[in-house]
Amino acid sequence: MNTTQQFEEFSYDDDIVRKFLIATLTWGAIAFIVGLVIAVQMAYWPLNLDLPWLTFGRLRPLHTNAAIFAFAGNAIFAGIYHSSQRLLKTRLFSDSLSRIHFWGWQLIILAAAVTLPLGYSQAKEYAELEWPIDIAITLVWVVFAVNFFGTIAHRRERHLYVALWFYIATIVTVAILHVVNSIEIPVSLFQSYPVYAGIQDALVQWWYGHNAVAFFLTTPFLGLMYYYLPKAANRPVYSYRLSIIHFWSLVFIYIWAGPHHLLYTSLPEWAQTLGVVFSVMLWAPSWGGMINGLLTLRGAWHLLRTDPIIKFLVAAITFYGMATFEGPLLSIKTVSSLAHYTDWIVGHVHGGTLGWNGFLTFAMVYYLVPLLWNTKLYSNKLATVHFWIGLSGVILYYISMITAGITQGLMWRALDANGRLVYPDFIETVTRIVPLYWGRAIGGALFIIGFAIMIYNIWQTIKRAPALPAETKIKAAAISLNKEEGREVSSHRRLEGMATVFTVWTVIAVLAGSILEIYPTLSLHRYLPESNAVRPYTALELAGRDIYVKEGCYTCHSQQVRPLVGDVLRYGKASTLEESQYDRPHQWGSKRTGPDLARLGKKYPNLWHYKHMLNPREITPQSIMPNYPWLAENKFDSLLLRKKLSIMKNLGVPYTDEQVANADVHAEKQALEIAQDLKSQGAPAGLERKEIVALIAYLQALGQLNVEVKK
Amino acid sequence: MATAFEYLDDSSFRDIYCSIGNSRRMKFYIEGIRCGKCVSKIENIKNQNAALKNLEVDLAHQTAMVELHENTGSFADVAKSIEQLGFRPVPLQPQLDSAEVWNAEARKDLIRLATAGFCAGNIMMLAFAIYFGLEGELRLTFEWLQFLLYMPVVFYVAIPFYKGFIQGLKEHEISIDGPMTVASLLGFFISTYHLFKGSGPIYFDSTSGFLFLILATRYWQKKTRHEYLRYLSPVSLMDTFKARLKNTKGWQWVPSNQLSAKQIVIVEKNEWIPADGKLVSNSAVLDLSLLDGESHPRLVNKGFPLKAGTKLLSDHAELEVLSSGKNTVLGHLLGALNLSVEEKTDSSALSNNASKWLMAVVLSVAIIVLIIGSLIDFNTYFERAFALLVLACPCAMAFGTPLAFSFSMKQAQEKGLLLKSSKVFESIKNVRTIFLDKTGTLTGKNWELTNSFFYSVPENFQEIILALEAESQHPVAYALREIWSEQARNSKIRAEYIRELPTGVEGFCDGVIWRFCSFQGGYGLFQNGNLVWKFQLESKIKAHIQNFISYLKSKGYRIVILSGDSFEETTRVAKLLGIESRDAFSSLTAFEKAEMVKASSQSMMIGDGVNDALALQQATVGVAVQGSIDLALKSADVLLLNDNLDSVRDLFEISAKARDQIRKNLTAALIYNSLGGVAALLGFINPFVAALLMPISSMYILATTWWGTRR
Amino acid sequence: MSILMLMIPIALLLGLCFLGAFIWATTRGQFDDSITPAYRILENENSNEMQQEKL
């Protein structure tokens, strides 16, 4: 053949995919085991072991972060890196960027695994990691983005398959979400305050939180589904057109649904309703996607009987359908009033994560490992066993949690004929559902057993695999996207290359826009019509608040009384916006394993709190709360208080210069008063420098910041 | 069968076939692509041919776009590679490639639609916030944002409506785009006025949402019609674009329209005659069925006039060119046909007088109210008039009618009927006469044996006849070789001492004298002078024709056969189908057929050949049957996807249902408009309520239309 | 609610980006053919199999 043109030779970088796969399984094991530990802790409190770094409040963020960012994250990267190379017919843009991405991400996870149990937390759900790690995440994400878009720019396939669009949306949106939600001012290496306070923090946090689910656990996995499902079943997706519609409608609607996490809070009514409307609208594209996935198997349902990968995929898509049906349902206000703060939400989330993300990841791993290690799966039978055990685990988990959630939700709101609470003691509603906590723990254990079988299966597969061959060279024609040196580049070519330029410019535009918008917000606090009816926290209360944050109290206690009869009767009058206007971060919470604390202040004497923190069962015999003995031993940090107050002052909290300058003195003075009070009632002496005193000061201030109340 | 593709690299052909403005790109129609395997097989060629810059298959249109690198490579090589894989590539002329035209238009529509969706969606979400109770400064911001987002709607999205409106005015009609134009502009001006004034309602949400809905339905309707294009694969006649011009060295390919009189052209077996001229070689057998409708192959002798668009069945022929290109009979036919695929006024035309009338009333009432009202209280009456417009204009006509048509087209598609235009649903009700082409429509192109009688134990009679006729150029010989193609391939029988008789042939096989000749209006086979087999050859009437004809008769339609075939054959078929002989016309040219169809004002023409194309276009409703050539497809309104003429019955029924649904929609709209209109004029309904009622009534129309067309 | 002054524009900008991406993709003809891409990915691109095919 007459040719002056040369074929390009290249090979796929499968090594990086293997790395990410191994990381997925490794971190998966850790995330699941920590999950099991905290599940058992809820059923059997002594498992908290009285050790600070093993208490529920600190392990729960570790579990969520490990599951989302370590397990799901590594799975996403493995899948994206594997499928994108094939879809784009090119090697990843840069081998070193791939490796920086890989090792950077593992270091981040490692840092998370160390810092979270130590209590270095921002106490913002799914964004607990402290500021140095936040920055590292941003950097690694940028590396990922450059690597990915670079790969797109060098593609040998003109058409961008729909999966790639899902990946693009993930990368762009997660970047923006992360940056916006993580704007914080460092206090020390391990602590920071968010620039947003109270309602604003809550709104940003749930805008992020909801979209983390949308763009970290949904869009990338949908991309993976649209690639691995057709590949595994060896048949084209049912309707490619529908998949394109699915993508575009999803990205346009998803972003708005966040406020449904804040129904019946002090968020303005209109914002709540808006969140609900958009959440309900989400139902359509989600189910469109699910149906498209399931119908892909039309005419191939026999595979469901024989092929474990198809089993996992079908179950995953079904769980996606279930979760996306349940989500809009839960966001309807009447349903939310019952389900919010209960275990139903936990069940809903795990239906999605274990069922959809977990099973899809397992399917992908079972598909990829034999392919990438150039061998056959060790045992299809074991994979099938994994499927059935895992499935029963998820179902048991889900049913336990839904039952627990509805039971407890109904008990919280139950009124007798006289309009009084039927179960005024919160603990009654807890003991009732403890058996279901055991059910959940067993479900989780089954899921882990299945996973362990998988690890064994994969281990045997890899062990038996032949030595990995050198990367196979593939020769392929370069398509018009490629640069050609020494030749005039036609305008057509230039347009083709626009993909990269376009992406770069949009990112710049978005960032510039964000900065333009953020700057006024940062300065806006000065002009905020802040209510003078509420006083800021004293120095000691602030120190106590930081301890509350550090111990992860928000994982079990909310601070938001909803304007619902049950809530008001049980806790006191509904929360107002002003009450949390100085809260950095907000601690509205999303789960009530224990009672709401918004109106806790002055309800009990100091000694009650002292005893309760050291051993909750001394006050409430059936309590499932961990002991916090170290609070009476560790000293609170009064040296940083001046800095903390001055940062707060800069952020707009009306502290006087004197209050800032003498923060430590004021704190010590207030601590001494509380310690003396404790001592007078029989507590040991010498508590005035201990964390417990600061925490008590904070707890006693809850709901008491209102100036009129004080009078 | 290896085709020579060298001509593709000839510059005169490249001018014809290459993409406009890019002589390195050529699009091929690929006969035989069916599945995904074919896609990768063909696209894999680019990994073997370094001269290829890109090769992309489009499965839907069965095409492949081939792009070569600069200064290298050959299209012939690529075509050859495709042929070696078992497909037949035919180059496409860009001017005649309807898919390209469609794509260019569809892209514009899609961008417009997406912009409309984005703006309307975001405006709606901002508006919802206000409806849900947002107040204060933020409300003002939201209103201004709506204004910004409405800009693209009024200045870009709505442009087709303005154009349609102006176009209608030019034709002295108020088109359906009229109220849309008014709503878009009025909504913009009044809302902007209120925005600046700082009070008064704002209608950006309702108008933009409404425009988006209409655009979406229109796009969908267009898309449904587009299905028709997929079947326009101009293969058959494409081959007439090239000719083998005889020269001193033998011959060379030239574009046939560049032939000039007196030139000698060579035609090989199974090729199309490229120009009008006269036969200069001894004799030839021609297939005239496509151009003339004559069913039997025809033997012609030296000097016989040949026409472009007929096919040579015998081995080798030479013709002297008389006229070429546009000056041939085929060229005249092509010139007479309006080959634009898209209808100019389809969905934008008002469906019938009722809606025109309604529209005129609504518009004039609104204007009268506005004029008279402005003398009393401009603001109040403006609002009322506007409420009337918002309330009245859209649903039944702008939305309901195209919707009913789209649903019906979709349904017709399921029955195997592709509609080029929804106009058919309306026009079909007036049809009184049904014209039927014979060859290819009523009868198949192949022949069958009838009245077969054996006078001896049948042995290998077929093989013997084939052996006797082996060298024969007689048309019957071609027909028999076709019918008994399998025997012809496998037969080992040879005949010797073959002698041509005036009515047949005679020869020896295994020492026995066989004679095959015309006998009693059919054909007879004689063994040693004794008749052993007698049969007749007739073209076969297709399945279900009888059913269809009796259905038409029962409905009182007049049925007429228009055939280019001989008198005998035509009357035979007419008799078989029970059609009176005065309604069976034979030996008609394409122009005569068209004249007859034109003379009968309310007609349906069903046909398949080149000679039907003009008639199909003249008919009120033209139906092209399966296997029709491209020309017929392009001129017809309906394309039958299966070989069952009975499906045309479904067309009558679906059309009736569609018209019925539109009538219902209009009735519903009339009632709704009268009640709502009066209420609006009296001020009971303000524009906001009207805007809320609008989507509700739209949903109603959507639901009933879906249900009504499905029943 | 000053935070909305930040979030709404960001969400709008993000939407605008996606709209831009959509327009870019449409003009580049990415959505012209909505059938073939679904088949194209089924091609055997596993490097080993591909090599065998070539032999």
Side-chain angles (χ1 to χ4, degrees):
Chain A
M1 236 158 250
N2 56 340
T3 163
T4 50
Q5 227 69 36
Q6 285 299 307
F7 278 124
E8 295 185 335
E9 269 203 325
F10 71 100
S11 55
Y12 293 133
D13 185 359
D14 287 339
D15 175 64
I16 194 72
V17 184
R18 286 187 209 108
K19 281 195 168 70
F20 273 117
L21 279 176
I22 301 279
T24 305
L25 296 179
T26 314
W27 292 116
I30 290 170
F32 300 157
I33 289 168
V34 174
L36 183 62
V37 169
I38 60 175
V40 176
Q41 282 177 343
M42 293 189 85
Y44 180 70
W45 69 267
L47 194 63
N48 285 291
L49 296 178
D50 293 358
L51 293 171
W53 44 273
L54 268 186
T55 42
F56 181 88
R58 296 193 188 182
L59 283 189
R60 195 263 188 179
L62 178 64
H63 167 61
T64 52
N65 279 281
I68 298 174
F69 300 110
F71 171 66
N74 278 309
I76 292 167
F77 299 141
I80 289 182
Y81 276 170
H82 174 262
S83 59
S84 300
Q85 294 188 81
R86 269 80 184 169
L87 289 171
L88 300 167
K89 294 267 181 313
T90 186
R91 192 185 176 87
L92 287 172
F93 175 58
S94 154
D95 282 7
S96 22
L97 284 183
S98 302
R99 264 108 205 124
I100 294 172
H101 176 194
F102 177 78
W103 290 112
W105 196 254
Q106 310 316 318
L107 280 177
I108 287 167
I109 299 168
L110 207 62
V114 172
T115 55
L116 288 173
L118 290 177
Y120 301 122
S121 161
Q122 293 195 54
K124 294 172 79 155
E125 281 186 72
Y126 319 122
E128 283 94 347
L129 299 172
E130 267 301 348
W131 66 272
I133 309 181
D134 273 346
I135 292 174
I137 291 173
T138 313
L139 292 177
V140 172
W141 201 263
V142 169
V143 167
F144 174 37
V146 171
N147 203 15
F148 180 80
F149 287 111
T151 311
I152 286 192
H154 288 92
R155 68 188 191 274
R156 291 188 180 82
E157 187 77 63
R158 200 182 57 86
H159 182 82
L160 296 174
Y161 184 69
V162 67
L164 294 164
W165 283 109
F166 278 100
Y167 303 158
I168 292 172
T170 303
I171 293 172
V172 174
T173 316
V174 167
I176 293 170
L177 292 170
H178 173 73
V179 168
V180 174
N181 188 43
S182 302
I183 301 176
E184 57 229 8
I185 296 176
V187 176
S188 67
L189 185 58
F190 294 117
Q191 202 200 344
S192 62
Y193 289 127
V195 291
Y196 322 107
I199 171 78
Q200 321 231 11
D201 189 44
L203 207 50
V204 175
Q205 155 59 25
W206 284 113
W207 177 71
Y208 162 87
H210 172 78
N211 288 309
V213 174
F215 288 94
F216 208 91
L217 296 178
T218 309
T219 51
F221 280 90
L222 283 171
L224 298 179
M225 174 191 92
Y226 277 120
Y227 181 76
Y228 289 105
L229 176 65
K231 290 300 273 188
N234 195 27
R235 49 206 315 118
V237 63
Y238 169 65
S239 164
Y240 189 68
R241 193 175 296 164
L242 181 59
S243 71
I244 294 174
I245 297 174
H246 178 198
F247 171 76
W248 290 102
S249 45
L250 209 59
V251 292
F252 282 122
I253 304 179
Y254 235 133
I255 202 94
W256 294 109
H260 70 215
H261 289 262
L262 298 169
L263 298 184
Y264 291 111
T265 62
S266 29
L267 183 70
E269 187 77 17
W270 63 267
Q272 297 184 25
T273 318
L274 209 58
V276 174
V277 169
F278 278 90
S279 307
V280 173
M281 275 164 66
L282 263 178
W283 180 79
S286 304
W287 271 50
M290 176 197 68
I291 289 165
N292 206 1
L294 289 180
L295 284 184
T296 299
L297 290 169
R298 81 206 176 288
W301 287 106
H302 60 275
L303 289 177
L304 191 56
R305 254 179 296 140
T306 52
D307 188 347
I309 296 177
I310 299 289
K311 280 195 178 75
F312 275 111
L313 284 169
V314 167
I317 297 167
T318 311
F319 275 113
Y320 173 64
M322 229 167 68
T324 52
F325 176 76
E326 201 182 18
L329 180 77
L330 284 170
S331 72
I332 294 170
K333 285 185 93 171
T334 39
V335 183
S336 166
S337 72
L338 173 71
H340 197 29
Y341 300 123
T342 74
D343 287 300
W344 188 351
I345 308 300
V346 181
H348 165 64
V349 168
H350 282 82
T353 47
L354 299 179
W356 162 239
N357 301 121
F359 276 20
L360 197 87
T361 303
F362 298 155
M364 188 181 86
V365 171
Y366 280 126
Y367 176 82
L368 279 182
V369 166
L371 204 64
L372 295 180
W373 268 271
N374 206 4
T375 179
K376 277 202 161 65
L377 187 64
Y378 168 65
S379 162
N380 260 334
K381 210 176 232 169
L382 281 181
T384 310
V385 172
H386 171 199
F387 172 76
W388 288 113
I389 295 183
L391 185 66
S392 31
V394 180
I395 291 173
L396 182 59
Y397 189 113
Y398 186 66
I399 291 176
S400 308
M401 286 297 91
I402 283 211
T403 321
I406 294 177
T407 308
Q408 201 177 28
L410 289 173
M411 288 174 87
W412 285 345
R413 58 157 66 164
L415 297 182
D416 64 15
N418 300 320
R420 283 184 307 232
L421 291 169
V422 179
Y423 308 99
D425 276 346
F426 191 89
I427 192 66
E428 277 182 276
T429 72
V430 176
T431 44
R432 180 73 70 87
I433 60 170
V434 164
L436 292 163
Y437 283 163
W438 279 114
R440 180 248 304 265
I442 294 168
L446 285 175
F447 189 83
I448 292 181
I449 291 171
F451 184 71
I453 294 174
M454 175 187 199
I455 298 270
Y456 173 74
N457 203 350
I458 297 296
W459 165 253
Q460 289 295 335
T461 307
I462 295 177
K463 208 173 79 177
R464 275 148 216 264
L468 288 174
E471 284 170 351
T472 322
K473 291 276 181 234
I474 298 161
K475 74 178 176 128
I479 69 164
S480 358
L481 301 161
N482 279 40
K483 310 173 205 85
E484 280 171 303
E485 63 287 336
R487 202 169 279 193
E488 199 195 349
V489 181
S490 70
S491 63
H492 174 70
R493 248 155 238 269
R494 230 176 293 131
L495 275 173
E496 290 280 18
M498 288 275 282
T500 346
V501 181
F502 169 78
T503 316
V504 170
W505 277 110
T506 38
V507 170
I508 291 173
V510 170
L511 290 181
S514 310
I515 290 162
L516 280 178
E517 289 303 327
I518 288 164
Y519 175 73
T521 319
L522 290 181
S523 50
L524 249 181
H525 59 83
R526 287 176 230 268
Y527 315 104
L528 267 185
E530 266 160 359
S531 166
N532 296 325
V534 175
R535 67 165 177 85
Y537 295 109
T538 67
L540 186 67
E541 286 162 4
L542 192 64
R545 193 170 197 282
D546 288 345
I547 293 164
Y548 184 97
V549 165
K550 179 179 180 183
E551 296 299 344
C553 304
Y554 69 97
T555 58
C556 290
H557 295 278
S558 59
Q559 288 188 18
Q560 182 71 208
V561 183
R562 295 175 294 176
L564 297 170
V565 179
D567 267 30
V568 173
L569 283 180
R570 187 178 297 276
Y571 304 116
K573 76 179 182 57
S575 295
T576 61
L577 279 182
E578 296 81 28
E579 284 173 309
S580 55
Q581 69 180 358
Y582 301 128
D583 284 9
R584 282 187 172 85
H586 81 283
Q587 290 289 285
W588 291 5
S590 64
K591 177 73 179 36
R592 286 176 182 162
T593 305
D596 187 272
L597 302 183
R599 302 264 171 260
L600 182 67
K602 300 280 186 286
K603 202 169 172 182
Y604 306 110
N606 290 338
L607 187 67
W608 185 97
H609 285 293
Y610 174 76
K611 286 182 169 173
H612 186 256
M613 291 310 301
L614 293 190
N615 180 7
R617 275 142 298 273
E618 202 170 314
I619 309 280
T620 313
Q622 292 148 308
S623 173
I624 60 170
M625 182 168 143
N627 298 332
Y628 288 85
W630 60 89
L631 293 180
E633 289 155 23
N634 298 348
K635 285 183 185 168
F636 69 84
D637 191 349
S638 59
L639 292 177
L640 266 177
L641 277 174
R642 254 180 292 179
K643 190 171 178 194
K644 285 179 180 172
L645 260 69
S646 89
I647 289 171
M648 287 292 188
K649 186 168 190 293
N650 276 330
L651 285 168
V653 182
Y655 287 121
T656 62
D657 288 341
E658 191 273 338
Q659 278 172 319
V660 175
N662 297 321
D664 47 346
V665 181
H666 290 300
E668 279 159 21
K669 192 173 151 231
Q670 192 186 358
L672 194 64
E673 283 167 19
I674 295 171
Q676 278 168 350
D677 175 59
L678 285 172
K679 193 181 160 206
S680 71
Q681 293 175 50
L687 290 172
E688 58 271 11
R689 296 246 165 184
K690 304 294 192 226
E691 285 182 327
I692 186 95
V693 173
L695 185 63
I696 289 172
Y698 171 64
L699 294 177
Q700 293 290 26
L702 286 172
Q704 299 298 316
L705 298 175
N706 236 302
V707 179
E708 290 125 345
V709 173
K710 241 185 134 187
K711 281 179 204 162
Chain B
M1 183 193 77
T3 321
F5 290 106
E6 280 71 26
Y7 69 94
L8 287 177
D9 294 317
D10 188 277
S11 67
S12 55
F13 281 99
R14 286 202 180 181
D15 290 345
I16 298 176
Y17 291 123
C18 284
S19 301
I20 298 155
N22 186 345
S23 64
R24 312 303 298 165
R25 280 155 67 95
M26 197 183 280
K27 200 169 177 184
F28 289 89
Y29 176 79
I30 314 269
E31 219 175 76
I33 294 195
R34 252 164 244 102
C35 58
K37 271 260 180 299
C38 310
V39 175
S40 54
K41 248 161 116 183
I42 295 175
E43 290 193 349
N44 198 36
I45 292 175
K46 77 176 162 219
N47 296 328
Q48 287 148 17
N49 185 344
L52 264 174
K53 193 145 101 179
N54 204 5
L55 195 164
E56 211 172 87
V57 173
D58 180 338
L59 199 57
H61 298 100
Q62 305 193 32
T63 55
M65 178 60 92
V66 173
E67 191 173 359
L68 297 176
H69 283 293
E70 301 289 329
N71 307 324
T72 176
S74 111
F75 289 114
D77 281 345
V78 180
K80 228 178 280 166
S81 311
I82 295 176
E83 191 173 53
Q84 274 160 12
L85 291 170
F87 306 96
R88 196 165 91 89
V90 182
L92 289 177
Q93 282 189 307
Q95 291 97 329
L96 296 181
D97 182 10
S98 34
E100 285 290 291
V101 182
W102 157 260
N103 279 344
E105 208 175 308
R107 286 178 196 175
K108 275 189 206 154
D109 288 350
L110 209 53
I111 290 173
R112 196 181 298 279
L113 185 63
T115 313
F118 174 77
C119 294
N122 281 296
I123 290 175
M124 204 112 51
M125 110 87 213
L126 295 165
F128 275 10
I130 294 170
Y131 298 153
F132 295 145
L134 173 65
E135 281 299 338
E137 204 173 310
L138 208 54
R139 176 186 172 140
L140 201 66
T141 317
F142 275 29
E143 285 175 345
W144 277 103
L145 276 173
Q146 288 185 53
F147 170 75
L148 276 180
L149 284 163
Y150 194 72
M151 287 301 198
V153 175
V154 73
F155 291 116
Y156 162 62
V157 169
I159 286 174
F161 297 116
Y162 308 154
K163 280 188 180 161
F165 181 46
I166 292 167
Q167 184 67 29
L169 285 183
K170 275 184 191 159
E171 288 158 21
H172 305 290
E173 267 187 5
I174 292 179
S175 71
I176 192 66
D177 292 331
M180 244 103 69
T181 306
V182 175
S184 159
L185 293 175
L186 217 56
F188 174 67
F189 288 125
I190 188 69
S191 306
T192 311
Y193 170 67
H194 285 163
L195 189 60
F196 274 96
K197 209 177 68 173
S199 69
I202 283 169
Y203 310 112
F204 295 130
D205 54 333
S206 44
T207 16
S208 61
F210 159 62
L211 290 174
F212 167 66
L213 262 184
I214 306 280
L215 272 183
T217 1
R218 283 191 181 179
Y219 177 78
W220 184 45
Q221 196 189 5
K222 236 177 174 178
K223 192 108 190 156
T224 319
R225 275 191 296 147
H226 167 66
E227 286 293 303
Y228 195 93
L229 294 181
R230 286 176 48 183
Y231 293 86
L232 297 183
S233 42
V235 176
S236 44
L237 286 177
M238 273 303 169
D239 283 0
T240 62
F241 287 120
K242 62 174 196 282
R244 298 170 200 258
L245 179 66
K246 198 172 178 180
N247 59 21
T248 46
K249 280 174 242 155
W251 58 268
Q252 72 175 99
W253 284 115
V254 294
S256 52
N257 58 358
Q258 288 174 16
L259 292 170
S260 51
K262 301 276 187 229
Q263 283 181 324
I264 303 293
V265 170
I266 297 173
V267 187
E268 296 294 341
K269 187 172 176 168
N270 284 329
E271 283 181 357
W272 297 81
I273 309 289
D276 286 3
K278 68 173 188 223
L279 190 65
V280 290
S281 52
N282 275 330
S283 66
V285 180
L286 298 170
D287 176 356
L288 304 170
S289 59
L290 273 178
L291 193 62
D292 283 355
E294 194 173 317
S295 53
H296 290 229
R298 191 148 158 206
L299 176 70
V300 297
N301 290 320
K302 190 168 178 174
F304 185 84
L306 299 179
K307 277 181 261 173
T310 52
K311 199 172 172 184
L312 182 73
L313 293 176
S314 50
D315 274 338
H316 173 95
E318 293 185 9
L319 91 151
E320 185 189 314
V321 176
L322 275 178
S323 54
S324 65
K326 286 179 184 153
N327 298 320
T328 60
V329 174
L330 181 67
H332 283 301
L333 206 58
L334 284 168
L337 285 169
N338 168 21
L339 289 181
S340 73
V341 179
E342 292 294 321
E343 290 288 318
K344 275 181 219 81
T345 54
D346 190 58
S347 55
S348 53
L350 276 180
S351 61
N352 61 30
N353 292 329
S355 47
K356 266 183 202 166
W357 179 80
L358 187 63
M359 216 59 268
V361 170
V362 167
L363 260 185
S364 36
V365 168
I367 290 168
I368 291 167
V369 167
L370 191 62
I371 293 171
I372 297 176
S374 62
L375 301 173
I376 309 164
D377 174 3
F378 179 78
N379 272 350
T380 314
Y381 282 89
F382 184 90
E383 220 170 69
R384 290 181 185 183
F386 190 71
L388 176 71
L389 276 176
V390 172
L391 187 83
C393 73
C395 306
M397 294 142 291
F399 185 58
T401 304
L403 202 64
F405 283 153
S406 298
F407 280 133
S408 301
M409 281 169 95
K410 204 85 197 155
Q411 226 198 343
Q413 230 170 71
E414 283 160 23
K415 300 269 185 193
L417 294 154
L418 284 185
L419 273 66
K420 197 199 284 178
S421 141
S422 50
K423 223 173 54 189
V424 172
F425 294 129
E426 291 279 342
S427 48
I428 199 172
K429 74 172 178 213
N430 301 321
V431 167
R432 288 283 143 265
T433 314
I434 307 221
F435 293 101
L436 297 160
D437 167 52
K438 190 190 70 70
T439 315
T441 305
L442 294 175
T443 61
K445 296 230 173 72
N446 294 333
W447 294 16
E448 64 173 353
L449 265 61
T450 53
N451 299 328
S452 161
F453 291 104
F454 291 98
Y455 299 93
S456 154
V457 181
E459 288 175 57
N460 37 15
F461 291 164
Q462 295 160 355
E463 284 87 343
I464 290 165
I465 294 173
L466 287 171
L468 292 172
E469 295 273 23
E471 302 295 319
S472 171
Q473 295 294 317
H474 193 272
V476 172
Y478 285 98
L480 291 175
R481 279 197 284 266
E482 183 88 0
I483 301 173
W484 297 327
S485 54
E486 201 174 318
Q487 287 91 329
R489 260 202 309 280
N490 304 326
S491 171
K492 294 208 165 53
I493 296 177
R494 295 282 171 268
E496 297 168 300
Y497 310 115
I498 296 171
R499 193 162 63 94
E500 297 257 352
L501 305 172
T503 58
V505 285
E506 200 175 66
F508 282 87
C509 288
D510 298 329
V512 178
I513 301 181
W514 296 91
R515 179 195 287 177
F516 178 66
C517 60
S518 302
F519 178 71
Q520 290 178 357
Y523 303 94
L525 179 66
F526 298 84
Q527 184 182 27
N528 289 329
N530 301 320
L531 179 67
V532 290
W533 187 17
K534 180 185 99 174
F535 62 85
Q536 287 180 325
L537 271 182
E538 276 165 357
S539 49
K540 184 161 137 190
I541 291 185
K542 289 188 188 172
H544 310 292
I545 296 286
Q546 204 72 58
N547 273 343
F548 178 56
I549 298 285
S550 22
Y551 168 78
L552 291 180
K553 278 185 183 161
S554 73
K555 292 282 169 190
Y557 292 106
R558 180 178 168 222
I559 305 165
V560 179
I561 296 184
L562 300 180
S563 179
D565 210 350
S566 67
F567 175 76
E568 292 78 14
E569 175 66 9
T570 312
T571 41
R572 181 186 72 86
V573 170
K575 217 169 118 191
L576 277 175
L577 293 173
I579 295 167
E580 291 180 43
S581 53
R582 65 182 164 87
D583 280 342
F585 297 87
S586 55
S587 311
L588 300 173
T589 67
F591 296 97
E592 286 166 342
K593 281 189 174 190
E595 276 307 308
M596 295 195 60
V597 170
K598 201 175 172 185
S600 155
S601 56
Q602 302 295 347
S603 57
M604 174 186 272
M605 168 78 199
I606 308 179
D608 76 317
V610 177
N611 62 335
D612 300 318
L614 218 52
L616 285 169
Q617 199 163 55
Q618 289 296 342
T620 318
V621 178
V623 180
V625 301
Q626 191 205 28
S628 295
I629 69 150
D630 180 62
L631 216 50
L633 293 185
K634 279 191 172 161
S635 47
D637 305 299
V638 181
L639 161 61
L640 214 57
L641 285 185
N642 51 34
D643 200 14
N644 183 354
L645 225 52
D646 221 16
S647 302
V648 177
R649 191 201 290 209
D650 294 319
L651 182 63
F652 283 108
E653 279 157 16
I654 291 170
S655 308
K657 252 191 314 191
R659 289 194 305 270
D660 185 45
Q661 188 54 46
I662 288 164
R663 247 195 315 277
K664 279 185 188 153
N665 285 349
L666 283 173
T667 317
L670 202 63
I671 296 170
Y672 160 82
N673 280 337
S674 327
L675 295 180
V678 171
L681 288 181
L682 296 178
F684 291 117
I685 296 179
N686 62 28
F688 171 60
V689 177
L692 279 184
L693 279 175
M694 199 273 293
I696 294 172
S697 61
S698 299
M699 290 314 282
Y700 169 79
I701 295 277
L702 179 87
T704 55
T705 308
W706 185 80
W707 180 248
T709 50
R710 211 133 278 263
R711 245 181 319 122
Chain C
M1 294 309 297
S2 58
I3 191 61
L4 283 165
M5 295 293 204
L6 167 67
M7 287 169 63
I8 300 267
I10 288 182
L12 275 177
L13 265 174
L14 202 62
L16 218 57
C17 285
F18 282 121
L19 181 68
F22 182 84
I23 292 173
W24 171 83
T26 314
T27 50
R28 308 284 341 116
Q30 290 277 347
F31 303 131
D32 285 356
D33 179 2
S34 59
I35 293 181
T36 326
Y39 288 91
R40 196 172 282 134
I41 69 151
L42 297 178
E43 185 191 338
N44 262 337
E45 76 291 275
N46 180 15
S47 46
N48 307 316
E49 286 168 59
M50 216 156 139
Q51 209 180 28
Q52 278 162 12
E53 263 182 14
K54 258 186 261 163
L55 292 175

